[in-house]
């Protein structure tokens, strides 16, 4: 056979990605099925002693419900849920129905996918482009994620935000606050240029989202309105400490609304502000010296390290040293609280980490979005993240903080 007539035989190359995805889906499907079966079995066993007049069980298994497909981060997963025949009635004579906590009725998408929508929105994806964006992330087998679906979800979340923003706080006690003004690359109304965010630490050490509101250039008036609203909804006990950036109008508002709350400036913001006044060649050394201040074992050592920084840079860079010196007292407030809490009190990291992927500290840019939509998306992002916030170290010490027990350099004053 001549060279010109030779035909190369090409064998199909299997897609490693597709094969792996298929294996993951099968594994997820099996695990989900096992979990649901176990849930149903436990429910039936818990009511095994309840029988009718003829001695028949009132709660039994009865085949399967019609299968359905759940859209997940690794694509669609088919599930079949066992049918439970529950013949019991409640006090009103209504039939009691079994509802799976693992697979709620009408669930079609996992929460992880729904969390993509507010994130994409704040990154500038328009509603009409959501289907294409989600298809790129989840694959072509991503049904039910049309622009209409997105619009409907946004409306549901808007109502959730409005309800949450009016909730009673009468039963709440926040020991610590973290506050910040967040800027996004969406166009807000001309007189509202940032989102004000407050997080709190409860008396048992859990972190909660307290408030999300729009504000005018992080002004005192905007923060005052927010704090007064919290108070009007029942939050009467002032937090012991509030942590935030020194540039916020929050501090003036705090003194007028919760005058007993102590102030702690964020060391991440302060470090950045101080370094801005220094040439790049000096910043590495300066940053290390600032680190020595807020990582010192005692307040006295921190003050010594602060003095050394000022003596080192004052002659040539007075703006940098003045930036540090003017807030010295409120930068070291954390030393009067339990040492276990210092890692939480020195920075606004709880807020920073939550919004790190979408936050912009630069001039706001034009883009799609409205005040209501942006507030809703920020609220949704924060409540999604809230589920993963870890509790404070040394949460048991919050009772001492609430009672006013004095701490010196992180230890109880009466401790040896």
């Amino acid at each position: 056979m001549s060279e010109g007539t030779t035909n190369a035989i090409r064998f199909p190359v299997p897609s490693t990605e597709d094969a792996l995805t298929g294996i993951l889906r099968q594994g997820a499907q099996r695990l989900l099925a096992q979990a649901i079966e176990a849930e149903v079995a436990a429910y039936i066993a818990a009511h095994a002693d309840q029988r009718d007049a003829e001695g028949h069980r009132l709660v039994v298994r009865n085949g399967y419900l019609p299968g359905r497909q759940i859209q997940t981060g690794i694509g669609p997963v088919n599930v079949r849920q066992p049918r439970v025949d529950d013949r019991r009635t409640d006090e009103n004579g209504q039939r009691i129905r079994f509802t799976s906590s693992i697979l709620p009725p009408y669930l079609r998408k996992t929460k992880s996918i729904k969390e993509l929508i507010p994130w994409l929105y704040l990154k500038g994806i328009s509603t009409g482009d959501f289907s294409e964006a989600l298809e790129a992330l989840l694959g072509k087998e991503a049904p039910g994620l049309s622009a209409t679906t997105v619009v409907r979800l946004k409306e549901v979340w808007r109502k959730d935000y409005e309800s949450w923003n009016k909730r009673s706080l009468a039963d709440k006690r926040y020991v610590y606050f973290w506050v910040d003004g967040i800027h996004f690359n969406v166009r807000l109304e001309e007189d509202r240029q940032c989102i004000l965010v407050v997080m709190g630490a409860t008396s048992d050490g859990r972190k909660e989202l307290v408030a999300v509101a729009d504000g005018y250039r992080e002004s005192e008036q905007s923060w005052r309105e927010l704090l007064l609203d919290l108070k009007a909804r029942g939050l009467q006990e002032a937090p012991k400490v509030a942590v935030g950036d020194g540039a916020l109008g929050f501090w003036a508002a705090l003194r007028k609304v919760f005058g007993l709350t102590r102030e702690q400036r964020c060391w991440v913001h302060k470090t950045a502000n101080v370094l801005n006044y220094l040439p790049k060649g000096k910043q590495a050394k300066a940053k290390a010296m600032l680190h020595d201040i807020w990582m010192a074992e005692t307040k006295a050592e921190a003050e010594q390290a602060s003095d050394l920084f000022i003596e080192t840079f004052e002659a040539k860079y007075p703006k940098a040293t003045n930036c540090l010196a003017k807030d010295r007292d409120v930068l070291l407030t954390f030393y009067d609280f339990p040492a276990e809490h210092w890692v939480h009190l020195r920075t606004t990291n709880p807020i920073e980490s939550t919004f790190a992927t979408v936050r912009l500290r630069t001039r706001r840019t034009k883009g799609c979005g409205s005040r209501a939509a942006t507030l809703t998306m920020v609220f949704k992002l924060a409540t999604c993240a809230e589920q993963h916030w870890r509790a404070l170290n040394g949460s048991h010490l919050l009772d001492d903080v609430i009672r006013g027990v004095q701490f010196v350099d992180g230890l109880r004053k009466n401790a040896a």
Side-chain angles (χ1 to χ4, degrees), residues 244-384:
D245 179 8
L248 298 177
F250 170 79
W251 303 110
L254 179 70
R255 295 168 198 137
K256 295 177 181 178
V257 181
F258 292 117
L260 297 178
T261 300
R262 297 189 62 183
E263 303 173 16
Q264 170 64 51
R265 297 294 188 271
C266 171
W267 270 100
V268 171
H269 286 94
K270 179 56 67 175
T271 298
N273 293 337
V274 171
L275 295 181
N276 281 340
Y277 293 114
L278 293 168
K280 289 186 178 181
K282 299 290 184 180
Q283 289 183 3
K285 177 181 178 180
K287 186 175 182 179
M289 293 181 71
L290 291 170
H291 184 269
D292 290 341
I293 301 173
W294 56 272
M295 289 298 291
E297 289 291 326
T298 67
K299 189 173 185 178
E301 292 176 4
E303 291 173 339
Q304 292 176 1
S306 178
D307 291 339
L308 177 60
F309 182 93
I310 293 173
E311 291 172 5
T312 301
F313 295 104
E314 186 174 26
K316 291 186 177 181
Y317 310 105
K319 289 184 178 180
T321 55
N322 288 339
C323 182
L324 175 66
K326 69 184 180 66
D327 289 330
R328 174 162 157 165
D329 290 342
V330 290
L331 282 166
L332 304 180
T333 301
F334 68 89
Y335 282 105
D336 298 335
F337 291 85
E340 291 86 342
H341 298 175
W342 289 0
V343 67
H344 307 291
L345 294 178
R346 287 184 292 218
T347 73
T348 55
N349 186 62
I351 293 179
E352 296 289 331
S353 58
T354 297
F355 295 102
T357 58
V358 292
R359 184 169 185 227
L360 292 178
R361 274 296 185 184
T362 58
R363 182 176 61 186
R364 65 191 178 94
T365 60
K366 293 183 178 181
C368 61
S370 67
R371 166 183 171 273
T374 302
L375 282 170
T376 299
M377 295 300 105
V378 173
F379 163 72
K380 183 61 181 177
L381 273 176
T383 52
C384 289

Side-chain angles (χ1 to χ4, degrees), residues 131-205:
S131 295
E132 182 178 346
L134 289 168
E135 181 178 307
L137 291 170
L138 305 175
K140 293 185 177 181
E141 298 177 319
L145 295 172
S146 64
T148 303
T149 304
V150 173
V151 171
R152 185 168 61 250
L153 284 173
K154 285 163 62 176
E155 178 61 20
V156 171
W157 294 338
R158 182 187 65 80
K159 292 178 179 178
D160 288 344
Y161 168 70
E162 291 177 352
S163 176
W164 176 85
N165 203 38
K166 296 177 182 177
R167 74 198 186 285
S168 172
L169 298 174
D171 61 341
K172 292 294 184 179
R173 173 64 193 267
Y174 296 109
V175 186
Y176 302 138
F177 267 0
W178 295 269
V179 301
D180 207 352
I182 313 295
H183 296 260
F184 295 97
N185 60 334
V186 293
R187 177 177 54 81
L188 303 181
E189 296 175 8
E190 288 303 318
D191 62 338
R192 318 299 279 181
Q193 299 188 13
C194 71
I195 303 297
L196 310 181
V197 179
V198 179
M199 290 174 55
T202 62
S203 57
D204 59 357

Side-chain angles (χ1 to χ4, degrees), residues 86-152:
D86 196 334
R87 301 187 184 94
R88 297 174 300 149
T89 58
D90 59 20
E91 62 272 12
N92 298 319
Q94 300 294 320
R95 284 282 299 270
I96 296 175
R97 296 183 181 278
F98 167 74
T99 301
S100 172
S101 60
I102 299 172
L103 195 65
Y106 313 115
L107 178 69
R108 290 294 182 270
K109 305 179 187 69
T110 59
K111 290 183 179 180
S112 60
I113 290 178
K114 291 185 179 181
E115 291 171 15
L116 282 174
I117 296 176
W119 187 85
L120 290 172
Y121 181 89
L122 289 173
K123 292 298 286 184
I125 303 297
S126 65
T127 300
D129 293 333
F130 268 98
S131 295
E132 182 178 346
L134 289 168
E135 181 178 307
L137 291 170
L138 305 175
K140 293 185 177 181
E141 298 177 319
L145 295 172
S146 64
T148 303
T149 304
V150 173
V151 171
R152 185 168 61 250

